[in-house]
């Protein structure tokens, strides 16, 4: 049974015609289901939990990367599958998973190729793509249970922990890539992985890491939106999320 | 598309330092500073300017920087002209460029020890009893 969760921005009239075509295609394919729309009164977490209680086995996020990010925490804790119908400007997650925009996304849902991918976890918050720390001078990263630690030297550094990489790093490999850059770096910037990083950048794969700041508490952004603060325990949750993917996904 | 069996590569850039026991499963490139120990089942490359105060072990080891510790390469060890190694090294194949500095014992791994006639070269005899071959310098 499918449940469709629409993000709030889809109420804009410009999305009306596209949504109607998509809903028609879902009916034709026999995978239509209850549609719930995000409102001020109900969060995505509440909508998803209610759908799961009603027996939904697949929760489809209709929206952009932020829409997906809002739902994964609930989906990860229940034995359900995530589907995506991408809308909006920021749909890198869908692109990485091989899910096209428009009506073609319905065909991907119908084909139902399911992969179990890793999630990252920062304290109690799950993230799908990346976790970015605010730039800082003094940080210490204790890795893999304290076996080794990393300290930036000289100047301000940014730290981004990737689960999905822009270069198509396998999201099932059971590790997170920590990129430490001397100057602040754009998340998802393709230059980070094209060719070898310069001496200003370091890439360290980890499974578990504790991030501490020497001066107060630093904010960090999970998938560009949810704020968590140091000290942080960052770890990989291997194969935690079941997600429907397309044939053109960026990993085999 | 990325291969699911590809191991992640580690790059320790010049702007960080790593302390402790680092164990990796992919290639490692050191451009910065490492203290402790470092091990991988793939290749290790220490570039010019890198400082490694650690015992290191990898499949192939390429050194162009400064290493203060023991080095074990299961296949090949290469020292370039800018390499400075203070410690014992072990490898199946060793290549040392003109100008490299190596202060320590060098032991060749694998292959049977040379079979010698009784009363032969005493150095070879001692190496044979230890199960290793001495380095031969042309």
């Amino acid at each position: 049974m499918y449940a469709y969760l629409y993000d709030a921005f889809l109420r804009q009239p410009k999305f009306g015609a596209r949504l109607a075509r998509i809903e028609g295609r879902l009916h034709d394919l026999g995978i239509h289901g209850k549609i719930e729309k995000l409102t001020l009164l109900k969060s995505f977490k509440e909508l998803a939990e209610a759908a799961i209680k009603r027996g939904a086995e697949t929760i489809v996020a209709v929206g952009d990367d932020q829409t997906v990010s809002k739902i994964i925490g609930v989906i990860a804790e229940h034995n359900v599958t995530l589907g995506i119908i991408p809308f909006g400007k920021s749909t890198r997650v869908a692109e990485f998973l091989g899910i096209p925009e428009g009506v073609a996304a319905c065909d991907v849902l119908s084909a139902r190729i399911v992969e179990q991918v890793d999630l990252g976890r920062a304290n109690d918050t799950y993230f799908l793509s990346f976790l970015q720390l605010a730039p800082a001078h003094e940080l210490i990263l204790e890795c893999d249970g304290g076996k080794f630690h990393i300290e930036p030297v000289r100047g301000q550094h940014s730290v981004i922990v990737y689960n999905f990489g822009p270069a198509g790093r396998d999201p099932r490999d059971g590790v997170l890539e920590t990129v430490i850059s001397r100057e602040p770096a754009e998340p998802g910037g393709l230059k980070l992985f094209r060719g070898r990083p310069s001496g200003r950048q370091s890439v360290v794969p980890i499974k578990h890491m504790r991030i501490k700041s020497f001066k107060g508490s630093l904010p960090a952004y999970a998938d560009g939106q949810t704020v968590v603060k140091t000290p942080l325990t960052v770890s990989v949750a291997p194969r935690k999320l079941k997600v429907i993917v397309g044939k053109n996904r960026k990993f085999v | 598309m990325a291969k699911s069996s590809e191991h992640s590569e580690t790059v320790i850039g010049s702007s960080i330092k790593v302390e402790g026991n680092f164990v990796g499963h992919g290639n490692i490139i050191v451009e910065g500073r490492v203290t402790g120990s470092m091990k991988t089942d793939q290749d290790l490359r220490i570039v010019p300017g890198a400082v490694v105060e650690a015992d290191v072990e990898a499949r192939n080891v390429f050194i162009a920087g400064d290493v203060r510790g023991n080095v074990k390469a299961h296949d090949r060890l290469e020292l370039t002209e800018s390499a400075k190694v203070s410690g014992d090294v072990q490898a199946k194949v060793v290549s040392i460029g003109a100008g490299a500095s190596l202060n320590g014992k060098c032991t060749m791994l694998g292959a049977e020890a040379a079979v010698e006639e009784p009363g032969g070269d005493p150095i070879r005899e001692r190496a044979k009893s230890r199960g290793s071959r001495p380095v031969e310098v042309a």
Side-chain angles (χ1 to χ4, degrees), chain B residues 2-70:
Chain B
K3 293 179 188 172
S4 59
S5 60
E6 186 183 308
H7 289 297
S8 299
E9 185 173 82
T10 300
V11 178
I12 296 170
S14 56
S15 70
I16 67 169
K17 61 179 180 182
V18 175
E19 289 182 21
N21 302 323
F22 183 90
V23 178
H25 295 286
N27 296 333
I28 302 175
I29 299 164
V30 181
E31 299 171 352
R33 193 172 195 100
V34 176
T35 306
S37 68
M38 180 169 271
K39 185 175 176 178
T40 179
D41 48 15
Q42 299 295 308
D43 300 339
L44 171 63
R45 177 174 283 263
I46 299 167
V47 306
V51 176
V52 175
E53 292 174 302
D55 292 339
V56 304
E57 182 176 344
R59 184 180 62 184
N60 298 303
V61 181
F62 171 92
I63 301 176
D66 192 344
V67 176
R68 300 162 203 169
N70 299 326

Side-chain angles (χ1 to χ4, degrees), chain A residues 85-173:
Chain A
I85 296 179
F87 265 89
K89 288 180 186 171
S90 177
T91 56
R92 281 182 179 172
V93 169
E95 190 185 327
F96 184 79
L97 296 173
I99 302 169
E101 289 194 9
V103 168
C106 306
D107 297 317
V108 168
L109 281 179
S110 177
R112 209 172 170 87
I113 302 171
V114 178
E115 286 282 1
Q116 283 189 267
V117 299
D118 301 337
L119 284 179
R121 191 164 180 164
N123 292 350
D124 294 328
T125 300
Y126 285 106
F127 62 93
L128 185 57
S129 299
F130 65 92
L131 173 79
Q132 181 177 19
L133 260 76
H137 281 98
E138 291 173 2
L139 276 178
I140 186 161
L141 286 64
E142 291 174 357
C143 303
D144 290 345
K147 286 182 191 160
F148 64 95
H149 63 267
I150 300 170
E151 270 182 66
V153 294
R154 296 192 304 274
Q156 205 171 45
H157 284 72
S158 70
V159 176
I160 305 176
V161 184
Y162 286 95
N163 181 32
F164 285 8
R169 183 64 69 194
D170 196 332
R172 302 162 302 178
D173 59 5

